[in-house]
Amino acid sequence: MKKPQEKEEKTVTPLQLDDKDLAILRLLQENARITVREISDKIHLSATPVHERIRRMEESGVIRQYAALVDHTKVKKGLMVICYVSLKQHNKNAGTRFIKAIQQMNEVIECYNISGEFDFMLKVVAENMDAYYDFHVNTLSQVENMGHMQSVFVMGIIKQTHQLVY
Amino acid sequence: MKKPQEKEEKTVTPLQLDDKDLAILRLLQENARITVREISDKIHLSATPVHERIRRMEESGVIRQYAALVDHTKVKKGLMVICYVSLKQHNKNAGTRFIKAIQQMNEVIECYNISGEFDFMLKVVAENMDAYYDFHVNTLSQVENMGHMQSVFVMGIIKQTHQLVY
DNA sequence: ACTGAAAGACACAGACT
DNA sequence: AGTCTGTGTCTTTCAGT
């Protein structure tokens, strides 16, 4: 029985992943440029079903993107800062405008809505402290409805992975 | 003139990236499976130099990895938590052992050494609150030398990108 | 669902400008 | 540092099991 207010899922199939799908995902997470042949050799399957499984996972959105990950220190983005932000007002429009502004800022590579004292957590990258200060003062703090802000500086990267399937 | 205590850089070439390299990086960040041909068409260069530039950026570590990015909600990792940790003691050995322990935890996908009240910030993913509670109580808090811990829950993802070059 | 074959596209290396 | 050309390998489709 289904409650009347329940909407139909847009994704027609929730896509149940089996062990072979997960094995393929493990390999693709590690190296997105691995060939279908190589995968099919490793998981003891021929190329066609591997290809088909990958296509299905792409279509269903299990695989969001294939991305080249760049070393931030080597492209003049050596400084990483975690920045906490609270808004003055919490009505829907104010929130929406804040989100739109954040999404357009190239320096902000991640932004989450969080529980606790602050409303948002941002991960910001900049060339150095001067560049971050400039961003903080002239861009971020200028956003309409901005309340408190607090910066926490990343002094070292201990671990950084995208391996959600293991 | 060089100070005597300065060590020689291991990376022989600091690798100066020009506009064409950056254009290639932009495309590869967006789609790691783009073909060399497609890149060469878009940046008005033939395949060979594009191929050579990519190879150099891979070798020099500018391109760290090609990764398939997986939708965490579709692989039973719907809950994301930011977890702050401080250690009881701050000697070198204690820190090293903590780091080793963290690096082996699959639930921890990021870990940074940070400024401020806490020593580390962890990004943790779990299937649900029960699974996170289990991880928090039975794994993370059991690490030797663990001091204070604080969890901040991610309620919504506003932005998530890996585009450091833009 | 999977296998195997076959066509077309691609990566990669070489000779040259 | 770049273009052009060729070879071997890969993706991708299709008929068959």
Side-chain angles (χ1 to χ4, degrees):
Chain A
M1 250 202 309
K2 189 156 55 174
K3 291 183 220 152
Q5 65 269 34
E6 268 185 37
K7 280 186 200 158
E8 284 295 326
E9 278 292 325
K10 222 194 217 167
T11 48
V12 186
T13 33
L15 198 62
Q16 199 58 33
L17 302 169
D18 64 15
D19 288 351
K20 283 170 187 170
D21 291 319
L22 295 176
I24 293 170
L25 278 181
R26 269 188 284 273
L27 293 168
L28 283 172
Q29 280 182 132
E30 194 61 35
N31 176 19
R33 293 203 126 182
I34 190 173
T35 63
V36 171
R37 263 176 116 95
E38 233 175 310
I39 296 173
S40 62
D41 286 350
K42 290 195 186 187
I43 68 171
H44 305 294
L45 218 64
S46 67
T48 312
V50 171
H51 195 265
E52 181 61 17
R53 281 162 181 273
I54 293 173
R55 200 197 54 76
R56 270 204 302 267
M57 292 195 284
E58 286 168 358
E59 288 230 329
S60 63
V62 173
I63 296 173
R64 272 175 35 218
Q65 194 188 357
Y66 298 103
L69 304 181
V70 169
D71 184 331
H72 66 154
T73 63
K74 295 187 176 164
V75 289
K76 300 188 192 295
K77 301 285 170 191
L79 183 64
M80 189 183 292
V81 185
I82 307 298
C83 186
Y84 295 91
V85 164
S86 65
L87 301 185
K88 281 183 194 157
Q89 297 181 98
H90 292 85
N91 59 71
K92 197 175 173 181
N93 275 339
T96 305
R97 280 198 295 277
F98 172 81
I99 287 169
K100 280 199 178 157
I102 288 296
Q103 284 170 340
Q104 287 173 354
M105 295 177 189
N106 287 326
E107 295 90 341
V108 179
I109 58 169
E110 293 176 44
C111 177
Y112 303 104
N113 212 300
I114 55 171
S115 68
E117 186 186 350
F118 287 96
D119 297 319
F120 297 97
M121 186 191 104
L122 282 61
K123 189 191 282 182
V124 181
V125 288
E127 181 168 359
N128 50 38
M129 194 57 90
D130 282 355
Y132 178 71
Y133 181 77
D134 179 66
F135 168 76
H136 190 278
V137 172
N138 296 320
T139 304
L140 193 54
S141 67
Q142 295 305 309
V143 175
E144 135 187 41
N145 197 35
M146 181 63 71
H148 295 131
M149 294 166 60
Q150 188 178 317
S151 296
V152 172
F153 295 93
V154 172
M155 300 190 297
I157 298 174
I158 308 300
K159 181 174 185 177
Q160 225 177 14
T161 181
H162 303 85
Q163 197 152 334
L164 298 178
V165 180
Y166 43 86
Chain B
M1 250 201 310
K2 189 158 53 173
K3 290 184 223 154
Q5 65 269 36
E6 266 184 40
K7 280 186 200 156
E8 284 295 326
E9 276 292 322
K10 222 194 217 170
T11 49
V12 186
T13 34
L15 197 65
Q16 198 59 33
L17 301 169
D18 64 15
D19 289 351
K20 284 170 187 169
D21 291 319
L22 294 176
I24 293 170
L25 278 181
R26 268 188 285 272
L27 293 168
L28 284 173
Q29 279 182 133
E30 195 60 35
N31 176 19
R33 293 203 125 183
I34 190 172
T35 63
V36 171
R37 269 171 108 98
E38 235 175 307
I39 296 173
S40 62
D41 285 351
K42 292 196 185 186
I43 68 171
H44 304 296
L45 217 64
S46 67
T48 313
V50 171
H51 197 266
E52 180 61 16
R53 283 161 180 272
I54 292 173
R55 200 197 55 75
R56 272 204 300 268
M57 292 195 284
E58 287 169 357
E59 288 229 329
S60 63
V62 172
I63 296 172
R64 271 175 35 219
Q65 195 188 355
Y66 297 104
L69 304 181
V70 169
D71 185 330
H72 66 150
T73 64
K74 294 185 177 165
V75 290
K76 301 188 191 293
K77 300 285 170 192
L79 182 64
M80 189 183 291
V81 187
I82 307 299
C83 186
Y84 295 91
V85 164
S86 64
L87 301 185
K88 281 183 196 158
Q89 297 180 98
H90 291 84
N91 60 68
K92 196 175 176 182
N93 276 340
T96 305
R97 281 198 294 276
F98 173 81
I99 287 170
K100 280 199 178 157
I102 288 296
Q103 284 171 339
Q104 286 173 353
M105 296 177 189
N106 286 327
E107 294 92 340
V108 178
I109 58 170
E110 293 176 44
C111 177
Y112 303 104
N113 212 298
I114 55 171
S115 69
E117 187 187 348
F118 288 96
D119 296 319
F120 297 97
M121 187 191 103
L122 281 59
K123 190 190 283 180
V124 181
V125 288
E127 182 168 0
N128 51 37
M129 194 57 88
D130 282 355
Y132 178 71
Y133 182 77
D134 180 65
F135 168 76
H136 190 277
V137 172
N138 296 320
T139 304
L140 193 55
S141 67
Q142 295 305 310
V143 175
E144 135 187 41
N145 198 35
M146 180 63 71
H148 293 132
M149 294 167 59
Q150 188 178 316
S151 296
V152 172
F153 294 93
V154 172
M155 301 190 297
I157 299 175
I158 308 300
K159 182 174 185 177
Q160 226 176 13
T161 181
H162 303 85
Q163 198 151 333
L164 298 178
V165 179
Y166 44 86

